[in-house]
Coordinates of all heavy atoms in Angstrom, one line a residue:
H1040 N -25.8 4.8 25.5 CA -25.1 5.6 24.5 C -25.8 7.0 24.1 O -25.3 7.9 23.5 CB -24.6 5.0 23.3 CG -25.6 4.4 22.5 ND1 -26.4 3.3 22.7 CD2 -26.2 4.8 21.2 CE1 -27.2 3.0 21.8 NE2 -27.2 4.0 21.0
D1041 N -27.2 7.0 24.3 CA -28.1 8.0 23.7 C -28.2 9.2 24.7 O -29.0 9.1 25.6 CB -29.5 7.4 23.5 CG -30.5 8.2 22.7 OD1 -30.1 9.5 22.6 OD2 -31.4 7.8 22.2
V1042 N -27.5 10.2 24.4 CA -27.6 11.4 25.2 C -28.9 12.0 25.5 O -29.3 12.6 26.5 CB -26.5 12.5 24.8 CG1 -27.0 13.0 23.5 CG2 -26.2 13.6 25.8
A1043 N -29.8 11.9 24.4 CA -31.1 12.6 24.4 C -32.0 11.7 25.4 O -32.9 12.2 25.9 CB -31.8 12.5 23.0
R1044 N -31.6 10.4 25.6 CA -32.5 9.6 26.6 C -31.8 9.3 27.9 O -32.2 8.5 28.6 CB -32.7 8.4 25.9 CG -33.7 8.5 24.6 CD -34.3 7.1 24.2 NE -35.2 6.8 25.2 CZ -35.0 5.5 25.9 NH1 -34.0 4.8 25.7 NH2 -35.9 5.1 26.7
Q1045 N -30.6 10.1 28.2 CA -30.0 9.7 29.4 C -30.7 9.8 30.5 O -30.6 8.9 31.4 CB -28.7 10.7 29.4 CG -27.6 10.2 30.7 CD -26.4 11.2 30.6 OE1 -26.5 12.3 30.8 NE2 -25.2 10.5 30.4
D1046 N -31.4 11.0 30.9 CA -32.2 11.1 32.0 C -33.2 9.9 32.2 O -33.4 9.4 33.3 CB -32.8 12.4 32.0 CG -31.9 13.6 32.3 OD1 -30.8 13.2 32.7 OD2 -32.3 14.8 32.1
A1047 N -33.9 9.6 31.1 CA -34.9 8.6 31.0 C -34.3 7.1 31.4 O -34.8 6.4 32.1 CB -35.6 8.5 29.8
V1048 N -33.1 6.9 30.7 CA -32.4 5.7 31.0 C -32.0 5.6 32.5 O -32.2 4.5 33.2 CB -31.3 5.5 30.0 CG1 -30.3 4.4 30.5 CG2 -31.6 5.3 28.7
V1049 N -31.5 6.6 33.0 CA -31.0 6.5 34.4 C -32.3 6.3 35.3 O -32.3 5.6 36.3 CB -30.3 7.8 34.8 CG1 -30.0 7.9 36.3 CG2 -29.0 7.8 34.0
A1050 N -33.4 7.1 35.1 CA -34.6 7.0 35.9 C -35.1 5.5 35.8 O -35.5 4.9 36.8 CB -35.5 8.0 35.4
E1051 N -35.1 5.0 34.6 CA -35.7 3.6 34.4 C -34.6 2.6 35.1 O -35.3 1.7 35.9 CB -35.7 3.2 32.9 CG -36.2 1.9 32.6 CD -36.2 1.6 31.1 OE1 -36.0 2.4 30.3 OE2 -36.5 0.4 30.8
A1052 N -33.4 2.7 35.0 CA -32.5 1.8 35.8 C -32.6 2.1 37.3 O -32.6 1.0 38.1 CB -31.1 2.2 35.3
T1053 N -32.8 3.2 37.7 CA -33.1 3.5 39.2 C -34.3 2.7 39.7 O -34.2 2.1 40.8 CB -33.2 5.0 39.4 OG1 -31.9 5.6 39.0 CG2 -33.3 5.2 41.0
A1054 N -35.3 2.9 39.0 CA -36.6 2.2 39.4 C -36.3 0.6 39.4 O -36.8 0.0 40.3 CB -37.7 2.5 38.3
A1055 N -35.6 0.2 38.4 CA -35.3 -1.3 38.4 C -34.6 -1.6 39.6 O -34.7 -2.7 40.2 CB -34.5 -1.7 37.1
A1056 N -33.5 -0.8 39.9 CA -32.6 -1.2 41.1 C -33.4 -1.1 42.4 O -33.3 -2.0 43.2 CB -31.5 0.0 41.1
E1057 N -34.4 -0.1 42.5 CA -35.1 -0.1 43.7 C -36.0 -1.4 43.9 O -36.2 -2.0 44.9 CB -36.0 1.1 43.7 CG -35.2 2.4 43.9 CD -36.0 3.7 43.6 OE1 -37.1 3.6 43.0 OE2 -35.6 4.8 44.0
L1058 N -36.6 -1.8 42.8 CA -37.5 -3.0 42.7 C -36.7 -4.2 43.1 O -37.0 -5.1 43.9 CB -38.0 -3.2 41.4 CG -39.0 -4.4 41.2 CD1 -40.1 -4.4 42.2 CD2 -39.5 -4.5 39.8
L1059 N -35.5 -4.4 42.4 CA -34.6 -5.5 42.7 C -34.2 -5.5 44.1 O -34.2 -6.5 44.8 CB -33.3 -5.4 41.8 CG -33.6 -5.7 40.4 CD1 -32.4 -5.4 39.5 CD2 -34.0 -7.2 40.1
R1060 N -33.8 -4.3 44.7 CA -33.3 -4.3 46.1 C -34.4 -4.8 47.1 O -34.2 -5.4 48.0 CB -32.9 -3.0 46.5 CG -32.3 -2.8 47.8 CD -31.0 -3.8 48.0 NE -30.6 -3.7 49.3 CZ -29.8 -4.7 49.9 NH1 -29.5 -5.7 49.3 NH2 -29.2 -4.6 51.1
A1061 N -35.6 -4.3 46.7 CA -36.9 -4.7 47.5 C -37.1 -6.1 47.6 O -37.5 -6.6 48.5 CB -38.1 -3.9 47.1
G1062 N -36.7 -6.8 46.5 CA -36.8 -8.3 46.4 C -35.7 -9.0 46.9 O -35.5 -10.2 46.8
G1063 N -34.6 -8.3 47.5 CA -33.4 -9.0 48.2 C -32.2 -9.1 47.2 O -31.2 -9.7 47.7
A1064 N -32.2 -8.4 46.1 CA -31.1 -8.5 45.2 C -29.9 -7.7 45.7 O -30.1 -6.9 46.6 CB -31.4 -8.0 43.8
E1065 N -28.7 -8.1 45.2 CA -27.5 -7.4 45.6 C -26.7 -6.8 44.4 O -25.8 -6.0 44.6 CB -26.6 -8.3 46.3 CG -27.1 -8.9 47.5 CD -26.1 -10.0 48.2 OE1 -25.2 -10.4 47.5 OE2 -26.5 -10.5 49.3
L1066 N -27.2 -7.1 43.3 CA -26.4 -6.7 42.0 C -27.3 -6.3 40.9 O -28.4 -6.8 40.7 CB -25.7 -8.0 41.6 CG -24.7 -7.9 40.4 CD1 -23.5 -7.1 40.8 CD2 -24.3 -9.3 39.9

Side-chain angles (χ1 to χ4, degrees):
H1040 63 280
D1041 187 347
V1042 68
R1044 297 194 64 242
Q1045 187 178 61
D1046 290 345
V1048 167
V1049 173
E1051 182 179 351
T1053 302
E1057 291 171 347
L1058 179 61
L1059 289 168
R1060 185 57 180 161
E1065 300 175 352
L1066 187 72

